[in-house]
């Protein structure tokens, strides 16, 4: 896959992730504008090293959004209800009451 195709794929992936992570949050969904601005600002970049650097940053941002961001809804003046996505809910490692010392 050529570099322009990879850039386009990252662009689409960022937008899909934005839609999933910020679902039903119109204010946060406006991140669309920022994503578009950043890609437009650098559309004439020719340095393959600089493009790789920006692609790495975009991939890191997408991973961070997908794995670390949880929506919260204000339900009261001092209460926040968390709304985790199903893909973030994983099995926890069982708690051990009597930890074993490593040798």
């Amino acid at each position: 896959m050529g570099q322009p195709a990879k850039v386009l794929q990252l662009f689409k992936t960022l937008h899909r992730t934005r839609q999933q992570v910020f679902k039903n949050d119109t204010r946060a969904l406006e991140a669309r504008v920022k994503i578009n601005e950043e890609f437009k600002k650098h559309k004439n970049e020719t340095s393959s090293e600089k493009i790789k650097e920006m692609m790495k940053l975009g991939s890191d941002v997408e991973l961070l959004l997908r794995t670390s961001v949880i929506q919260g809804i204000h339900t009261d003046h001092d209460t926040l209800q968390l709304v985790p996505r199903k893909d973030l809910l994983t099995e926890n490692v069982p708690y051990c009451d009597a930890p074993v010392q490593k040798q």
Side-chain angles (χ1 to χ4, degrees), residues 10 13-14 17 21 57-67:
L10 176 60
T13 302
L14 278 166
T17 300
V21 170
L57 176 64
S59 296
D60 290 348
V61 167
E62 190 276 333
L63 179 66
L64 181 77
L65 286 172
R66 186 169 30 88
T67 60

Side-chain angles (χ1 to χ4, degrees), residues 50-63:
K50 182 71 174 168
I51 293 171
K52 283 180 187 176
E53 185 180 306
M54 289 185 290
M55 291 280 295
K56 172 78 171 107
L57 176 64
S59 296
D60 290 348
V61 167
E62 190 276 333
L63 179 66

Side-chain angles (χ1 to χ4, degrees), residues 25 27 68-84:
D25 186 343
R27 191 168 132 227
S68 303
V69 175
I70 297 177
Q71 280 185 312
I73 300 170
H74 288 280
T75 57
D76 198 357
H77 72 283
D78 62 347
T79 308
L80 188 66
Q81 177 185 358
L82 297 181
V83 186

